[in-house]
Amino acid sequence: MVRIDLELCNGCGLCARNCPLGCITIEGKKANIGAGCSSCGICTRVCNRGAAQKEAKPPAGSVTCSHCPVQCQVQEGFTGACRRYTNIKGQLVRNRPLVTSVPKPTLPPPEIEWPLITAIGAGTEYPCPRPAPYIVQGQRGGIEVVTVVTEAPLSYSGIKVKIDTNFHIGEEGARVRRDGQVVGMVDTEEYGSKMLYIGGANLLTGKSGFMAARTIVDLANGRRVVLKVEKGSTLELQVGHRPVIDGQEDTTMRVGCGSATIGLFAYHLKGVVDEAIILDHHIIGLFSEHLAGQEVGMTYSGVIPAGRKSTRGRYFGDPGNGWGGTAITDPRQAIKAVDMNIARPGMRILVTETTARKAALFEVQPDGDVREIPLTPEVRMVIELIASNCEEARVSALYVGGTGGSARAGVTTLPVELTRAVHRGEIKLTIGGAPAMLLPGGGINFMVDVEKVAAPEAFYWVPTPATVAPVEYTMLKSTYERIGGHLHRLRPVEEVVAGVRD
């Protein structure tokens, strides 16, 4: 249960606005905890004055939820913070039945899954009202199929770059430069990877638009590019290769965050060490306190790791250039303190990171200090096991573009019908032969894995500036007739493949 220290509370309402269950009200400029509080602890973490305080004794009749690390104390007739489980007569019950009915997806006809030809090398017809350079028809499975191709200049374009690394490259939102010119920004991190977004319509039309366009195309075509993050790292990036960050090549991506690593290898750590601290810039894991440690029979060791506590056995780390992408450069720094009221001399504490490239073993001394000792063969085996489950670090990229504008005129006389048919799955969009992922909503916005494009050097740029992508639309001939296609420009695919000029 949470109580409010009325002397400290100033009635700012921060706790009420963050409470996931709406249990807190502000009355007389003071917070009030109402019925159903699950002791999730959000109010205690957001209160800047320490007025919200968690009480040690759980409410009568409550059940401690074990379905996530938060461990809500769910009162009778109420739910936990996530609202998924209800305490019904002392039993936590999932309050929504399992959905077993799966809608049948609308799948496109298999005959249009891939184009008759690619647009790589097709060229561009300009101005827009002209039909696309190649509009071909052919038989596939006894069905008439049409593919329309063009190398489309796209001012709305960019590239999302995924860098598999634990290294800290800079703050999210930081600008990314090439040869001193801004070409993109550090995007929000994905699991195990740092992300960049290069280009975008507003950058392409700005002062550094030419450099941004060049960078998009260089990355999409698999060329090596050197970028500099403001107040961050220098990056040498080439799609399909390992990233080089501040001159150091990264070789492996983490197996998971520190908490996940504890969960994945709890059974292997049990009996090998008395405690393990898995360093990670996102979540640092503490083995004996973690629920996964409890699951394999561990009890809290008394070791206090560096970091801000999130939930049991999970601590937020500070990003940096140290172990696990944290600011910790000496493994001894990972052990903030040892509570000798709980710990005992001789305990062994493993400190490693989520790639297990570095590891150190410490022994607790009678005064609560620790000294480093050599890794034992058993510890080395666990370290090697973690390392062997890490994937190779590499750079990959998604080209992002929008073809919902004037480029549609080369395909059809009824542009909105083209857009609708693409979203209905009646027309398959591919980029250089590679399947494109459509973004929901209006327009034809897509992303494509540049490594799946059928031929190298498929992307270009023009000094409008814009990037040029090979775009293909494949559909049944009956669909092409219905959406107002340029039927008079249809040619047999065999004729085009044979090189017969139009």
Side-chain angles (χ1 to χ4, degrees), residues 287-493:
F287 179 40
S288 73
E289 188 188 29
H290 198 283
L291 288 176
Q294 177 184 300
E295 183 74 14
V296 299
M298 299 293 292
T299 55
Y300 176 51
S301 67
V303 173
I304 302 168
R308 293 172 290 116
K309 188 167 184 176
S310 166
T311 50
R312 275 190 53 174
R314 304 168 81 249
Y315 294 77
F316 294 127
D318 293 321
N321 296 318
W323 285 41
T326 69
I328 295 173
T329 54
D330 179 347
R332 174 63 183 83
Q333 300 170 343
I335 305 169
K336 184 177 179 181
V338 179
D339 183 353
M340 291 307 289
N341 293 314
I342 303 172
R344 57 178 171 75
M347 280 178 37
R348 293 166 300 165
I349 306 169
L350 169 66
V351 177
T352 187
E353 51 186 3
T354 50
T355 57
R357 280 183 296 217
K358 291 183 280 194
L361 191 62
F362 294 89
E363 185 179 76
V364 176
Q365 304 301 296
D367 62 357
D369 199 357
V370 297
R371 71 177 181 90
E372 187 169 358
I373 60 175
L375 296 181
T376 65
E378 294 79 12
V379 170
R380 289 190 183 280
M381 286 181 65
V382 176
I383 293 300
E384 290 168 4
L385 178 65
I386 297 173
S388 67
N389 278 278
C390 293
E391 297 174 80
E392 182 180 6
R394 66 197 304 277
V395 178
S396 50
L398 292 170
Y399 176 88
V400 182
T403 63
S406 62
R408 291 178 293 176
V411 184
T412 175
T413 56
L414 302 172
V416 73
E417 292 299 325
L418 171 65
T419 302
R420 289 168 177 166
V422 168
H423 281 279
R424 285 195 295 261
E426 297 170 344
I427 298 177
K428 184 73 175 182
L429 176 70
T430 52
I431 305 298
M437 191 194 87
L438 282 175
L439 275 64
I444 305 176
N445 302 315
F446 66 87
M447 294 193 289
V448 66
D449 183 347
V450 299
E451 293 180 87
K452 292 183 177 177
V453 172
E457 300 289 334
F459 296 88
Y460 299 83
W461 68 281
V462 291
T464 50
T467 63
V468 179
V471 180
E472 302 111 18
Y473 300 93
T474 301
M475 66 206 90
L476 301 181
K477 186 178 180 182
S478 58
T479 301
Y480 197 49
E481 292 169 347
R482 194 193 74 228
I483 68 168
H486 302 294
L487 297 175
H488 64 287
R489 294 300 300 269
L490 273 171
R491 299 176 61 194
V493 64

Side-chain angles (χ1 to χ4, degrees), residues 223-252:
R223 302 178 194 135
R224 199 166 194 80
V225 170
V226 178
L227 302 173
K228 179 73 174 75
V229 179
E230 282 189 354
K231 298 181 180 179
S233 298
T234 298
L235 313 173
E236 297 176 47
L237 306 176
Q238 185 173 13
V239 170
H241 295 259
R242 292 173 175 174
V244 178
I245 299 167
D246 295 324
Q248 183 178 352
E249 182 181 80
D250 203 354
T251 55
T252 52

